[in-house]
Amino acid sequence: DHTLKAAAGTGTQGLLDAPAPEAMLAQPAGLSLDPSEPRLYIADRLNGAIRVLQLQGGGSVETIVGEGRPLNHPTGVVASTQKQLIVADSQNHQLKLIDLKSGGITDCTGEGFQSRDTPPRPLKEPVGLTLDGPGRLLVSDKQTHHIICYELAVGDYWTWA
């Protein structure tokens, strides 16, 4: 069967947690499958939220981060095997780490990270993310027109391309 159908959302912009066909999203941007559970994480850009679509049991959409703790135009999300999400908080020019066990949110690449580039290049609108093996994060940075590589365990980063 080659039929294309909506996995979640009504097609009307909004923020509503509900069964997948009734849920409302606002410019969903980034997607990431959970590596160990049947879940799809969604960077819900205009809502400033991270949502999760449960892929079993009829499917439902829930907000993980957003209401009360919004992000500023999240555009990318990647799930790790450690029950964490890394989010491209694009308009805040940051990467956020969400601990799915505790619900805590921290700056993923702030203090403690050293640049190998001279001069250092701070993020200016990160948009896309992918993990390249354990502990290595690749970030597409829209305003600098670069791919930035973060060695998360080591605490350094550099311009990759």
Side-chain angles (χ1 to χ4, degrees):
D1 181 11
H2 292 56
T3 304
L4 183 64
K5 65 179 187 173
T10 63
T12 301
Q13 181 176 307
L15 177 65
L16 177 66
D17 291 349
E22 301 164 21
M24 296 173 74
L25 306 165
Q27 292 188 4
L31 303 172
S32 181
L33 286 169
D34 189 304
S36 60
E37 298 187 38
R39 297 179 178 161
L40 177 69
Y41 297 100
I42 305 163
D44 195 356
R45 187 172 171 264
L46 283 186
N47 283 323
I50 299 300
R51 318 282 294 282
V52 61
L53 170 60
Q54 303 294 338
L55 298 174
Q56 288 183 338
S60 63
V61 175
E62 301 168 33
T63 302
I64 296 174
V65 173
E67 298 175 23
R69 298 186 297 171
L71 302 165
N72 194 350
H73 288 89
T75 55
V77 60
V78 65
S80 77
T81 57
Q82 289 84 32
K83 300 286 184 199
Q84 297 172 325
L85 299 177
I86 300 172
V87 176
D89 191 7
S90 66
Q91 295 298 302
N92 283 327
H93 313 290
Q94 297 177 337
L95 301 176
K96 298 291 186 180
L97 180 71
I98 301 171
D99 185 314
L100 294 171
K101 292 180 254 177
S102 70
I105 303 172
T106 56
D107 183 359
C108 181
T109 55
E111 293 181 32
F113 273 80
Q114 299 297 317
S115 176
R116 293 186 196 174
D117 295 332
T118 305
R121 291 188 173 112
L123 289 172
K124 293 183 181 177
E125 200 172 348
V127 291
L129 307 174
T130 193
L131 288 171
D132 178 29
R136 188 173 182 181
L137 177 70
L138 301 177
V139 179
S140 60
D141 198 32
K142 183 177 173 183
Q143 294 298 322
T144 65
H145 314 283
H146 286 114
I147 305 298
I148 309 296
C149 181
Y150 284 87
E151 293 284 353
L152 300 174
V154 175
D156 65 5
Y157 67 96
W158 69 94
T159 302
W160 201 35

